[in-house]
Amino acid sequence: MKKTIICTSLVVGILSLAAIPRVIKTDNSLPNVQSSKGPWQDLIAGNSLQQWHCYLEASEIGWTVQNGILSTPGNKGDIVTNKEYHNFELELEWKIEKQGNSGIFIYVVEHPDNKYIYQTGPEFQIIDNLNYPFQLTEQQKTGALSDVISPKNAIPKPVGQWNKVRIVAHDNKVQHWLNNKLILNYTIGSDELATHISASKFANLPYAKTNKGRIGLQDHGDPVYYRNIRIREIN
């Protein structure tokens, strides 16, 4: 069984040319939330896209989910969850093709004033570090808080292989995990994050201003594949 979503809005990712890596300290501890997590929710259960919609759009053509794999061939637009999330744990697997580019967004504020999801939502960067046709800064590589903070010791698997992502967001603290390794953390609303944002292309945007919003998946114009997408809320 195959379901499809189409979006007419396209996101054109603008790569920052900043050359100086911005690194944040990595805290290896986890939020103490083990006893207050809710049940896992499969976001593509039954090969269904009923929990997703096109960002700022209602049309349904383009992204497909088949045999438990959500994918886009590119140029179909970004999708976001119908539901907004505050404290949560998100897990999924992804793979890209050569020179591919995509991203996972959190806390997306869907509003007509925000034309693109990257204007508000912090992004877990997904990109072909080795073959991308433009030179990447450290904060543009896989696992980064895209264009804002570099990951630490992030080792994505080769193009065409599945990578596992875990994002934990709790009480403003956000963690990026790649292939079972903690690679980055930051705190929404902190002075440290504000300093990084002020040096980025998001300085004049309503970026990372809230700790509640939609989960988003980016169509950057390249094929990308996601599977085992699940989330559980933290009370």
Side-chain angles (χ1 to χ4, degrees):
M1 181 178 183
K2 181 166 77 173
K3 297 287 183 69
T4 319
I5 280 191
I6 239 187
C7 313
T8 56
S9 340
L10 303 179
V11 171
V12 179
I14 302 172
L15 288 174
S16 165
L17 298 179
I20 302 175
R22 298 187 288 278
V23 181
I24 196 168
K25 294 179 181 178
T26 301
D27 179 2
N28 289 313
S29 63
L30 287 174
N32 185 21
V33 295
Q34 299 299 321
S35 62
S36 57
K37 293 179 181 178
W40 286 109
Q41 301 169 15
D42 184 347
L43 292 181
I44 52 172
N47 288 324
S48 171
L49 285 167
Q50 292 182 354
Q51 298 181 76
W52 299 85
H53 65 273
C54 304
Y55 183 73
L56 294 180
E57 295 286 342
S59 27
E60 295 192 0
I61 323 169
W63 285 72
T64 62
V65 55
Q66 189 173 20
N67 299 323
I69 298 175
L70 172 65
S71 67
T72 174
N75 296 321
K76 301 299 180 181
D78 301 328
I79 60 174
V80 292
T81 55
N82 298 337
K83 184 175 179 177
E84 295 183 335
Y85 296 91
H86 172 43
N87 291 332
F88 64 87
E89 182 177 6
L90 173 69
E91 290 186 350
L92 56 78
E93 293 175 85
W94 60 267
K95 67 178 179 178
I96 52 176
E97 297 179 4
K98 187 174 181 180
Q99 300 186 354
N101 188 345
S102 185
I104 306 159
F105 291 78
I106 66 171
Y107 298 149
V108 174
V109 178
E110 189 173 29
H111 189 278
D113 290 343
N114 306 323
K115 189 175 181 181
Y116 303 113
I117 63 176
Y118 67 75
Q119 291 179 265
T120 59
E123 177 188 0
F124 184 113
Q125 174 74 304
I126 293 172
I127 200 165
D128 181 357
N129 291 348
L130 300 179
N131 302 296
Y132 203 68
F134 302 102
Q135 184 174 357
L136 301 173
T137 63
E138 291 303 308
Q139 58 266 34
Q140 291 171 335
K141 294 183 178 180
T142 291
L145 175 57
S146 184
D147 249 339
V148 179
I149 302 172
S150 306
K152 182 177 181 181
N153 298 322
I155 305 175
K157 294 182 180 179
V159 166
Q161 294 188 23
W162 290 102
N163 292 265
K164 183 176 181 178
V165 163
R166 178 172 176 243
I167 300 174
V168 182
H170 183 254
D171 290 345
N172 295 333
K173 294 179 174 60
V174 181
Q175 298 178 337
H176 286 189
W177 292 73
L178 179 65
N179 296 325
N180 300 313
K181 179 187 294 184
L182 179 61
I183 58 170
L184 184 153
N185 61 62
Y186 60 92
T187 302
I188 298 289
S190 68
D191 291 341
E192 185 175 14
L193 179 59
T195 298
H196 290 302
I197 294 172
S198 68
S200 76
K201 68 183 182 184
F202 305 111
N204 297 315
L205 294 173
Y207 173 85
K209 299 296 186 185
T210 181
N211 61 3
K212 183 178 181 180
R214 305 186 195 280
I215 306 299
L217 299 177
Q218 185 185 52
D219 180 342
H220 199 276
D222 307 304
V224 62
Y225 309 86
Y226 293 97
R227 70 181 184 185
N228 296 327
I229 309 171
R230 64 179 191 167
I231 193 167
R232 59 180 172 182
E233 296 185 79
I234 302 171
N235 299 320

